């Protein structure tokens, strides 16, 4: 469907259709190949294959999520969707080209959508990749699981803690398989570091340091005409209406790092962008995956002018009920350092980058794994000690979970708790005072001002509450 055509499915209509199990109309899905003959993929016949739709086809999708899926012969990307029709068409050509090369035959089996709700109505699609800006993660995941699709979603899990809770509840109720893109859980050094900490190789854990990259401020940017290929109103989604300028959204000429990552309207900056990875890895080692801190404090510098307004230099701290003290800052090496009574362990990605424009690619490479005593790193985890789940590749683990219907290595509730912890640090930055958190109630204690930060007003017709309350 071209971007200048009005959407055939309103959000309310979509909810009615998915709630009733109604299929997409013939007018929407007819005339496009949806099932590829078994002869094309040999032993991976359609009945054994997971058909996938990619929602959001920018930098992270092209460089990480779609390649993460198309490497497996039991999965087929059969549809792509983007609110920028140029990007959607480019993704179609990219995926068709990949499958043509894999099969050695001409291939034109990828369907293009510019409205994800229409993609979700296609009964032949089993699962979706959600590689959109942060503010669209929770709404799309909620819609997808209600449409009985399994989901791989980019982190952070949500724009706000309230949205994250609604999403985690919706996923649990649906029974669908949802993998959060916390791919450090599928990296050997992060799992091994967590096992070493959990099994007492550095004694009793006392302090965790989380080092994150930083983000620069920017200039004021002029209002620009909205490109005809972009549905900008829907791109804004639940967030307030603001004028279009290219650096607020994404580049029109390439797939470089988008400007929305530095706008608080759409995310919280590096505290969630990278914090969702490193704090998740810290929680894994701390055995606090399903809870959160009880005290949070700190401060940050925020730009005083310009389009890009996420935090700059910062240092925030937190205490957990188990007595562990966490310090999060962009003034130390990118990675996670665990300090115990008998030594320390440091773990990072080294020089690995998800995409070419990822901030880590511009930093000096740190060691993937280091310790106060080299003997710690040669320690063998015994058969009667704690062994954490093993995943060799994050997208592959998701596909395996879809088949087995067993929980993936980064389930929604865990991703929600990691994201929540990041947002608690962000709240401390904004209020510049100590906050007291109840991880069970997911509320600040006796602090109405802080509790206002748990949610944001949502713009119609994209409000998540319309999804959550639908029956």
């Amino acid at each position: 469907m071209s971007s200048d055509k009005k959407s055939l499915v309103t959000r309310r209509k979509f909810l009615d259709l998915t709630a009733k199990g109604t299929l997409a109309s013939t007018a929407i899905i007819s005339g496009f190949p949806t099932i590829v003959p078994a002869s094309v993929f040999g032993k991976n016949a359609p009945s054994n294959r997971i058909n996938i739709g990619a929602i959001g086809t920018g930098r992270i999708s092209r460089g990480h999520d779609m390649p993460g899926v198309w490497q497996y012969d039991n999965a087929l990307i059969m549809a792509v969707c983007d609110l920028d029709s140029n990007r959607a068409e480019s993704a179609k050509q990219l995926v068709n080209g990949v499958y043509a090369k894999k099969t050695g035959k001409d291939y034109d089996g990828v369907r293009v959508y510019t409205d994800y709700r229409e993609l979700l109505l296609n009964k032949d699609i089993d699962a979706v990749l959600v590689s959109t800006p942060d503010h669209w993660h929770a709404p799309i995941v909620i819609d997808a699981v209600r449409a009985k699709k399994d989901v791989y979603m980019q982190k952070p899990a949500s724009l706000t803690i309230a949205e994250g809770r609604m999403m985690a509840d919706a996923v649990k109720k649906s029974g669908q398989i949802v993998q959060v893109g916390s791919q450090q859980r599928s990296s050997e050094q992060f799992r091994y570091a967590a096992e070493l900490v959990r099994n007492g190789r550095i004694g009793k854990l006392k302090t965790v340091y989380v080092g994150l990259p930083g983000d620069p401020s920017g200039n004021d940017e002029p209002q620009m005409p909205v490109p005809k290929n972009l549905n900008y109103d829907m791109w804004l989604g639940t967030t307030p209406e603001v004028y279009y300028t290219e650096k607020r959204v994404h580049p029109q000429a390439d797939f470089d790092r988008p400007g929305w990552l530095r706008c608080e309207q759409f995310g919280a900056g590096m505290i969630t962008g990278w914090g969702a990875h490193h704090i998740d890895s810290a929680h894994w080692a701390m055995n606090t995956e399903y809870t959160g801190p009880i005290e949070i404090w700190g401060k940050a510098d925020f730009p005083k002018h310009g389009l890009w307004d996420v935090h700059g230099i910062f240092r925030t701290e937190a205490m957990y009920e188990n007595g562990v003290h966490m310090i999060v800052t962009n003034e130390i090496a990118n990675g996670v350092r665990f300090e115990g009574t008998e030594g320390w362990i440091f773990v990072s990605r080294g020089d690995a980058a998800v995409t070419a424009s990822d901030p880590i690619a511009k930093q000096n490479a740190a060691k993937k794994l280091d310790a106060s005593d080299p003997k710690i790193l040669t320690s063998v985890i015994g058969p009667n000690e704690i062994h954490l789940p093993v995943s060799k590749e994050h997208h592959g683990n998701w596909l395996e979970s879809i088949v087995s219907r067993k929980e993936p290595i980064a389930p929604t509730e865990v991703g929600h708790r990691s994201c929540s912890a990041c947002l608690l640090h962000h709240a401390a930055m904004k209020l510049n005072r100590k906050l007291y958190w109840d991880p069970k109630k997911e509320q600040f204690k006796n602090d109405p001002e802080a509790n206002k930060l748990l949610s944001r007003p949502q713009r119609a017709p994209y409000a998540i509450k319309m999804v959550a309350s639908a029956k």
Side-chain angles (χ1 to χ4, degrees), residues 429-445:
M429 292 182 199
K430 303 298 285 188
L431 297 177
N432 198 25
R433 58 181 172 81
K434 182 170 281 192
L435 305 173
Y436 300 89
W437 179 249
D438 185 332
K440 292 182 179 179
K441 295 181 179 178
E442 295 187 84
Q443 292 281 321
F444 291 103
K445 296 179 179 179

Side-chain angles (χ1 to χ4, degrees), residues 191-192 194-201 284-285 287 381-389:
R191 185 190 74 252
Y192 184 47
E195 288 179 335
L196 291 172
V197 173
R198 284 211 192 186
N199 286 293
R201 297 302 193 273
W284 209 16
N287 194 22
I381 308 300
N384 296 322
E385 293 189 287
I386 297 170
H387 289 260
L388 297 173

